[in-house]
Amino acid sequence: MKKQLYLLLVLLVIGLQANAQGRMITGTVTDKADGSALPGVSVLLKGSTTGTSTDQYGKYSISVPNDKSILVFNFIGYNTQEVKVGSKQQINVAMEVNTQTLEEVVVTGYGVRGLAGKVAGVRIRGNSSLSYANMEVMAPPHNTENYSYIKESTFLNAKKTPLSTFSIDVDNASYSNVRRFLNQGQKPPVDAVRIEEMINYFTYDYPQPTGNAPFSVTTELSECPWNKDNQLLHIGLQGKDIPTDNLPPANLVFLIDVSGSMSSPDKLPLVKTGFKLLVDQLRPQDRVAIVVYAGAAGLVLPSTTGKDKPLIMQAIENLEAGGSTAGGAGINLAYKVAEENFSEDGNNRVILASDGDFNVGVSSDSELQRLIEKKRESGVYLTVLGFGTGNLKDSRMEQLADKGNGNYAYVDNILEAKKVFVNEFGGTLFTIAKDVKLQLEFNPAKVKAYRLIGYENRALADEDFNDDKKDAGDMGAGHTVTALYEIVPAKSKSGTKTGKVDDLKYQRTELDPKASATNEILTLKLRYKEPKGMVSKLITSTVSDEAVAANKTSDNFRFSAAVAACGMLLRDSEFKGTATYPMVLELAEGARGKDKEGYRIEFINLVKSMSLLSDRR
């Protein structure tokens, strides 16, 4: 009898422990109408920041603490569903398309003016489930978000301007910021749409580099989808993949804005969650220090090894928001701490998390840029992460990252935090090449005119290409960089205009006879430096006039073209040609590729919502 009681007690204890530790729920999410799998669906544990997303087959798994847990399934263009877990081990969900989402929202600048009564499809700010619901539309708060003016690049005459020079850009903040506006039922401000960042938000299936070069170069030429008389040139760079275990030790300083402007749920609470995700990825050889700034800057945690994760986690958890914003003082202290713990063979980096609203001490854009330019000489890189709405200083954040040999991302939800801090851990934190520049020389015998799509704020003077003192963009391990050119062939009857310049009086430019004899339409030159190098290395290749048939183009080509066309529509570009959202949708749906994380299917659903916000159907 005693043995039986003892056995019963042991089983009871085991059961209680299992319940305390939680259990795993798995399932598949499908479209209710046709039963097709839905990749990229957000699956969140209600009342917490725990979440995941469905894979390319619509499958997910998530740990829940108890039977009372509720899972929230959220996907753009579909009705949000809440499901009580109960005793179930598997929960399959069929989601219904929401045909009314966004239809009752009227866009007025940065805000939303609702029709009388309640409006469907408005995100409830601060709701941890990130779900959509009916709510009374309140007057939008005063908006002080700031974006740099973008003068869209135009077509250039290949004979008069044969060279096109620019720096690579691995920032992707624009896409997640645009997504935030669309999720709130608003059109993004025109200057919030940086097309190159939208394109580079996504990864592409380029070959790994061979030999000593840190990246490969891929080109593809075909018909331009929005102007059949023109061609589209796709250029792709693929950085060398380095397994996390093989990355050099990291010396990181988390520079966290804890001023009063960071108190809302989409700011400091999300910052803390994101950094905890990053801490989970740390290895014993990595080090982390935490610097915060509000009215003044302070060291919250001295440089601590990855062995002491609980200590780092507790320091993050204890952070609270309040006070004014002395950004300059925080930057100075963060770089000082990074330099004191500098790792000669490691990755030394400050990671700044803020809304960019600096208002104490060194706070003007020019002063901050000069400060960052001086600090980058120390060998410490800078990653800038933007958070929040209403007062996001996007232009400042982008400039700081550019001047600090770093990258800029915007984090609008927990899944984006996972993308930045977990999925892209190596590429975000470890640089494999710096000051990467491209220069294309077009052959006027084959090309009448050309236009680089996006990269307006990355344009360089032609002479900057060979100037190793000129700063340019950096590339991380495993990163891809994509650029698109729209090209007017020399024999094209396209009506594309380049503007007229009078012939020169004192000199003439005559084509080399070889220009007509060759099949080359351009020569592509690329310069880069090793992470610690001071002298650049040159890579040269050519592109022939042998275009790929439109129906034979790669997923890389079609999907990047879809994103570019979408960006032009959002900007209402004069160069959008015949582009429409249905055309974007057709291109993107036919180029989903592997899409393991569901980012491309999310874009496809965003496009469906964009068409509801557009007058151009």
Side-chain angles (χ1 to χ4, degrees):
M1 183 68 178
K2 288 183 178 179
K3 288 183 178 180
Q4 291 176 330
L5 288 173
Y6 177 75
L7 181 60
L8 183 64
L9 181 61
V10 170
L11 290 173
L12 180 61
V13 170
I14 292 174
L16 289 172
Q17 287 179 338
N19 190 53
Q21 293 172 355
R23 57 192 173 88
M24 193 64 67
I25 302 296
T26 61
T28 304
V29 182
T30 57
D31 184 307
K32 189 173 183 179
D34 59 14
S36 60
L38 291 178
V41 176
S42 167
V43 185
L44 294 162
L45 180 63
K46 188 171 184 178
S48 77
T49 55
T50 300
T52 186
S53 59
T54 56
D55 64 15
Q56 58 182 325
Y57 305 109
K59 297 184 180 297
Y60 73 93
S61 63
I62 187 171
S63 178
V64 299
N66 52 52
D67 292 352
K68 296 181 180 179
S69 300
I70 297 175
L71 295 181
V72 181
F73 297 81
N74 186 350
F75 201 30
I76 298 166
Y78 288 78
N79 292 320
T80 296
Q81 290 192 38
E82 295 189 4
V83 180
K84 292 182 179 179
V85 171
S87 59
K88 296 186 284 289
Q89 297 291 334
Q90 185 177 59
I91 298 177
N92 297 324
V93 174
M95 301 190 73
E96 268 188 304
V97 173
N98 185 344
T99 57
Q100 294 183 337
T101 300
L102 307 176
E103 288 182 345
E104 294 177 320
V105 177
V106 180
V107 178
T108 56
Y110 294 156
V112 176
R113 172 167 51 85
L115 302 177
K118 295 188 176 182
V119 176
V122 180
R123 186 181 294 277
I124 301 177
R125 191 169 162 201
N127 187 325
S128 60
S129 69
L130 299 181
S131 62
Y132 287 86
N134 288 334
M135 61 176 285
E136 293 289 346
V137 176
M138 307 299 291
H142 180 58
N143 192 299
T144 61
E145 294 192 13
N146 186 268
Y147 300 93
S148 294
Y149 171 71
I150 296 176
K151 179 176 172 51
E152 193 171 25
S153 59
T154 60
F155 280 94
L156 298 175
N157 186 304
K159 188 173 183 179
K160 296 183 181 297
T161 315
L163 296 178
S164 173
T165 310
F166 67 100
S167 161
I168 69 163
D169 189 358
V170 295
D171 296 345
N172 54 35
S174 179
Y175 177 80
S176 49
N177 192 30
V178 165
R179 178 181 62 200
R180 183 252 301 187
F181 278 100
L182 294 169
N183 282 343
Q184 293 175 339
Q186 305 174 51
K187 283 184 180 178
V190 168
D191 292 320
V193 182
R194 295 186 289 273
I195 295 177
E196 74 280 4
E197 292 187 23
M198 293 183 64
I199 293 171
N200 284 309
Y201 180 88
F202 303 93
T203 56
Y204 298 88
D205 188 19
Y206 302 136
Q208 278 291 307
T210 56
N212 296 323
F215 45 78
S216 65
V217 181
T218 301
T219 59
E220 187 173 359
L221 181 71
S222 187
E223 180 182 270
C224 179
W226 52 86
N227 190 334
K228 304 298 184 183
D229 292 326
N230 292 348
Q231 293 178 318
L232 190 67
L233 174 66
H234 177 110
I235 302 171
L237 309 183
Q238 171 65 62
K240 184 179 295 183
D241 280 327
I242 301 177
T244 301
D245 290 342
N246 297 339
L247 291 173
N251 165 37
L252 307 177
V253 179
F254 297 168
L255 175 56
I256 303 176
D257 182 352
V258 293
S259 63
S261 68
M262 292 289 290
S263 60
S264 60
D266 58 351
K267 294 186 181 181
L268 186 58
L270 185 56
V271 170
K272 291 162 66 173
T273 300
F275 276 115
K276 287 178 183 178
L277 291 174
L278 177 53
V279 171
D280 277 336
Q281 308 301 307
L282 295 178
R283 305 159 300 174
Q285 63 267 38
D286 299 325
R287 303 187 69 88
V288 167
I290 300 177
V291 171
V292 299
Y293 62 94
L299 181 64
V300 170
L301 180 75
S303 188
T304 304
T305 69
K307 295 178 182 178
D308 295 324
K309 289 183 182 179
L311 182 63
I312 302 172
M313 292 284 198
Q314 190 58 53
I316 294 172
E317 182 59 33
N318 290 341
L319 298 179
E320 295 181 356
S324 51
T325 318
I331 291 170
N332 271 314
L333 180 56
Y335 272 92
K336 179 175 181 292
V337 173
E339 290 167 21
E340 289 172 350
N341 298 278
F342 194 86
S343 173
E344 287 295 336
D345 299 318
N347 169 33
N348 301 279
R349 185 173 296 268
V350 171
I351 305 178
L352 167 62
S354 173
D355 55 17
D357 197 5
F358 305 154
N359 53 31
V360 173
V362 177
S363 59
S364 74
D365 288 351
S366 58
E367 287 178 309
L368 287 166
Q369 287 180 45
R370 280 192 285 270
L371 173 61
I372 292 296
E373 286 177 337
K374 182 179 179 181
K375 293 297 183 183
R376 77 181 179 207
E377 297 173 3
S378 66
V380 177
Y381 291 85
L382 177 67
T383 288
V384 179
L385 303 177
F387 289 82
T389 64
N391 66 332
L392 179 71
K393 300 299 180 282
D394 175 86
S395 57
R396 174 176 292 165
M397 307 283 273
E398 183 192 18
Q399 290 166 2
L400 291 180
D402 291 350
K403 299 298 181 184
N405 282 347
N407 57 294
Y408 169 40
Y410 175 76
V411 181
D412 57 335
N413 58 48
I414 184 62
L415 295 180
E416 184 65 19
K418 179 175 179 289
K419 178 179 186 289
V420 171
F421 289 108
V422 179
N423 300 354
E424 300 175 354
F425 175 75
T428 301
L429 299 182
F430 182 62
T431 299
I432 60 172
K434 68 178 182 180
D435 294 339
V436 184
K437 313 169 192 173
L438 280 82
Q439 186 171 78
L440 279 65
E441 180 184 353
F442 289 89
N443 179 358
K446 302 290 183 178
V447 176
K448 182 188 297 183
Y450 65 88
R451 184 176 90 89
L452 174 60
I453 300 174
Y455 289 92
E456 286 87 358
N457 57 4
R458 291 288 188 160
L460 297 174
D462 293 337
E463 57 269 24
D464 290 340
F465 182 73
N466 292 317
D467 184 357
D468 283 349
K469 295 181 180 179
K470 188 65 178 180
D471 184 57
D474 302 330
M475 193 161 187
H479 269 165
T480 61
V481 175
T482 301
L484 301 178
Y485 277 88
E486 185 174 350
I487 293 174
V488 183
K491 296 180 180 179
S492 172
K493 296 180 181 179
S494 170
T496 303
K497 297 180 180 179
T498 60
K500 183 173 176 55
V501 177
D502 292 340
D503 293 332
L504 297 177
K505 180 179 179 180
Y506 302 108
Q507 61 182 2
R508 290 184 179 181
T509 302
E510 296 183 358
L511 290 179
D512 187 316
K514 295 179 182 179
S516 298
T518 183
N519 67 345
E520 296 173 3
I521 65 167
L522 63 89
T523 295
L524 188 157
K525 294 186 290 185
L526 188 150
R527 283 195 178 276
Y528 72 94
K529 297 175 189 168
E530 300 287 347
K532 294 184 179 180
M534 299 301 291
V535 179
S536 65
K537 297 182 179 182
L538 177 66
I539 297 175
T540 303
S541 62
T542 60
V543 177
S544 75
D545 57 6
E546 297 177 7
V548 178
N551 61 349
K552 297 290 180 69
T553 53
S554 66
D555 288 344
N556 294 332
F557 184 96
R558 294 193 304 280
F559 193 82
S560 62
V563 179
C566 177
M568 288 190 287
L569 287 168
L570 286 171
R571 290 186 58 83
D572 193 24
S573 167
E574 65 174 294
F575 305 109
K576 62 182 178 293
T578 60
T580 62
Y581 286 114
M583 185 205 80
V584 171
L585 202 57
E586 182 180 358
L587 279 172
E589 286 182 327
R592 278 174 52 179
K594 297 175 183 177
D595 197 26
K596 293 180 180 179
E597 299 293 337
Y599 301 140
R600 293 193 179 192
I601 190 63
E602 179 195 53
F603 170 77
I604 289 168
N605 282 280
L606 272 177
V607 173
K608 293 175 182 177
S609 70
M610 290 178 209
S611 62
L612 294 173
L613 286 171
S614 174
D615 294 328
R616 185 184 180 89
R617 300 300 176 107

